[in-house]
């Protein structure tokens, strides 16, 4: 009778420990997922702010200003789209989970995911366009 009771108590103890282990594993996984989302949001915000700042710098500069800057081809391993339309720089991940729009001055041209050349000629800001 004692051996059967010991076996049952052992199984209950192992089951309880397994349950606690799975519970902690789930909590850690959830925390890691939240951190990943925060990192992507931060990286996307930094990207959009970089473009916004480059355009703002060009708008405040005198005519003849020219600068080349680079933006990454992906954000923390995620593909994204970025464009400028209606006075906004709009950046979003292709999975649609993260997006951001920031106001910018009027710009002629659009942004590339590689090297970008911004110029100010006769008061107009050109992005990746060679005005004639």
């Amino acid at each position: 009778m004692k051996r059967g009771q010991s076996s049952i108590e052992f199984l209950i103890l192992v089951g309880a420990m397994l349950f606690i282990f799975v519970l902690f594993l789930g909590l850690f996984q959830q925390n890691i997922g939240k951190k990943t989302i925060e990192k992507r949001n931060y990286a996307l915000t930094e990207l959009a702010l970089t473009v916004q700042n480059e355009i703002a710098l060009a708008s405040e500069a005198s005519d003849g200003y020219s600068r080349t800057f680079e933006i990454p081809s992906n954000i923390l391993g995620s593909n994204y789209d970025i464009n400028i339309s209606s006075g906004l720089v709009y950046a979003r991940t292709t999975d649609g989970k993260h997006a951001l729009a920031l106001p910018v001055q009027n710009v002629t041209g659009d942004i590339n995911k590689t090297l970008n050349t911004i110029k100010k000629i006769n008061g107009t800001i050109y992005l990746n366009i060679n005005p004639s």
Side-chain angles (χ1 to χ4, degrees):
M1 196 70 174
K2 288 274 190 188
R3 288 173 57 187
Q5 182 179 354
S6 297
S7 298
I8 290 174
E9 288 175 357
F10 178 74
L11 287 176
I12 289 172
L13 184 61
V14 168
M17 294 302 287
L18 184 62
F19 175 75
I20 291 171
F21 176 73
V22 169
L23 182 66
F24 278 121
L25 188 64
L27 290 174
F28 288 136
Q29 179 63 29
Q30 185 179 19
N31 191 19
I32 290 171
K34 286 181 181 179
K35 295 285 185 192
T36 302
I37 289 171
E38 288 175 7
K39 282 182 182 179
R40 283 208 179 114
N41 280 337
Y42 179 76
L44 191 67
T45 301
E46 286 298 310
L47 174 73
L49 283 172
T50 298
V51 173
Q52 183 188 41
N53 290 337
E54 290 291 343
I55 294 170
L57 183 62
S59 71
E60 294 173 7
S62 59
D63 281 341
Y65 174 83
S66 179
R67 177 174 161 85
T68 300
F69 64 98
E70 184 176 2
I71 61 171
S73 60
N74 64 42
I75 296 175
L76 299 175
S78 293
N79 290 327
Y80 69 94
D81 295 321
I82 186 166
N83 59 22
I84 299 172
S85 63
S86 303
L88 295 172
V89 59
Y90 183 66
R92 71 176 182 89
T93 56
T94 54
D95 62 7
K97 293 182 180 179
H98 311 276
L100 179 68
L102 296 174
V104 294
Q105 289 79 7
N106 289 332
V107 176
T108 302
D110 206 2
I111 192 117
N112 295 328
K113 283 194 195 178
T114 54
L115 290 177
N116 294 278
T117 303
I118 190 165
K119 297 178 181 181
K120 183 174 183 181
I121 299 171
N122 295 328
T124 303
I125 302 170
Y126 296 97
L127 186 57
N128 297 319
I129 293 178
N130 283 328
S132 303

